[in-house]
Amino acid sequence: MSDILVSSQWLAEHLDDDLVVVDTRPKVAYMYGHIPNSVSITVEQVISINEHGAHLVPEPDVLSGLFGASGIDMDKTVIVAGEAMDPSLARVAWTLQYLGHENLKILDLGISAWQNTGLAMTRMQPKMATTKFVPNINSQMRIRAEELKEKLGSVQILDARTPQEFFGGHLPGSVLIPFTDGIGQSNIFESKDNLKRLFEQKNVLTDREIICYCMHGHRASSLFYQLKHAGFDNVRLYDGSFIDWYSRRFPLQ
């Protein structure tokens, strides 16, 4: 499992292993049916909304309590699952990795597609033993507004929003790549080759630092993992994104 993605076949064969499947869909969808032995963690649980409406990473102790209560520790393999067009999946996965969880994978297809292929679903909620999640922040995955402002002109900034949002105002020098461009028809992401072609067409360079942003940092999280899947290593998320940038009255184009 060297790639960020894990196949549905692999997961179906390892559901009884010592791993945690995280369902990132809304709680109601989880209650109506989910992958066996999966726990529910929604995007609302992994963000802290500031006074300007920016969706930021909460304090580590808040997240360590959430993840520990879900049976996650640093030794567990974690598989994050959701729906392809819902970037909540990527934001939850990014948050876990930002807090230092390295043994993490994303299910390569949406839970609806999982169900449509005839794989097992259940309404039974597992009783997870509480663990101790000790954060080890990976600062290379995140960038804050002040640092990004200082780096304008020296980094590649990718905007994961819609064209309408982009042309209404964007960070200086940013390139529009809607996160939906990298979503597959039935899979979470397009193939590696298709993603590489997409980023080549947008002149995204492997030798420069890449910053992803959107409105609240959710869609940018999906773009973050699309880049990772395509083989880009030097990628960071601006989780505050446009709302945070605009509230600081930093320059726009």
Side-chain angles (χ1 to χ4, degrees):
M1 294 199 302
S2 58
D3 189 60
I4 187 62
L5 298 182
V6 65
S7 72
S8 56
Q9 179 182 357
W10 184 94
L11 181 57
E13 294 172 354
H14 292 83
L15 280 175
D16 293 326
D17 290 1
D18 188 24
L19 53 78
V20 178
V21 180
V22 175
D23 187 323
T24 61
R25 298 174 302 159
K27 297 289 185 182
V28 172
Y30 173 82
M31 294 293 292
Y32 271 97
H34 48 265
I35 297 172
N37 297 327
S38 60
V39 299
S40 173
I41 299 179
T42 66
V43 70
E44 291 82 7
Q45 294 177 277
V46 299
I47 60 172
S48 176
I49 303 177
N50 72 6
E51 67 273 19
H52 302 293
H55 294 188
L56 305 175
V57 180
E59 291 299 320
D61 59 339
V62 173
L63 292 171
S64 63
L66 170 66
F67 296 147
S70 301
I72 300 172
D73 59 33
M74 293 304 185
D75 296 325
K76 289 280 197 320
T77 296
V78 175
I79 311 297
V80 183
E83 298 294 359
M85 294 301 292
D86 183 359
S88 300
L89 179 157
R91 183 64 186 259
V92 172
W94 178 87
T95 304
L96 276 158
Q97 288 203 302
Y98 172 68
L99 261 69
H101 199 291
E102 297 179 354
N103 194 11
L104 177 144
K105 302 292 176 181
I106 294 173
L107 183 62
D108 68 348
L109 50 71
I111 294 176
S112 295
W114 167 284
Q115 185 175 14
N116 291 339
T117 58
L119 293 170
M121 295 283 285
T122 183
R123 292 188 180 185
M124 294 182 61
Q125 298 184 41
K127 295 180 179 179
M128 307 299 293
T130 300
T131 61
K132 187 174 183 180
F133 186 96
V134 182
N136 182 22
I137 301 298
N138 182 352
S139 60
Q140 293 306 306
M141 291 184 61
R142 183 190 188 199
I143 192 167
R144 300 172 190 266
E146 294 83 358
E147 182 182 358
L148 179 54
K149 184 172 181 288
E150 293 297 319
K151 288 190 170 188
L152 289 178
S154 65
V155 295
Q156 300 176 100
I157 304 176
L158 306 184
D159 188 323
R161 299 177 299 163
T162 64
Q164 292 87 346
E165 291 171 300
F166 180 82
F167 291 116
H170 52 266
L171 272 62
S174 57
V175 174
L176 174 65
I177 308 182
F179 90 100
T180 50
D181 288 359
I183 300 297
Q185 289 187 345
S186 59
N187 292 339
I188 289 297
F189 302 137
E190 285 280 2
S191 68
K192 285 186 179 183
D193 289 342
N194 285 349
L195 287 172
K196 287 178 180 178
R197 280 193 289 270
L198 170 64
F199 297 133
E200 285 174 0
Q201 291 168 0
K202 296 292 186 176
N203 296 316
V204 181
L205 304 175
T206 57
D207 60 350
R208 292 181 65 194
E209 185 176 22
I210 301 169
I211 309 299
C212 300
Y213 84 97
C214 56
M215 188 64 74
H216 294 291
H218 301 191
R219 290 172 286 178
S221 302
S222 179
L223 185 58
F224 174 95
Y225 281 114
Q226 292 171 27
L227 287 155
K228 289 288 190 178
H229 187 45
F232 290 82
D233 294 322
N234 195 8
V235 187
R236 299 170 77 180
L237 175 72
Y238 175 25
D239 60 313
S241 280
F242 188 88
I243 293 294
D244 181 59
W245 189 269
Y246 181 79
S247 72
R248 297 171 184 272
R249 301 297 186 261
F250 285 170
L252 293 170
Q253 284 184 333

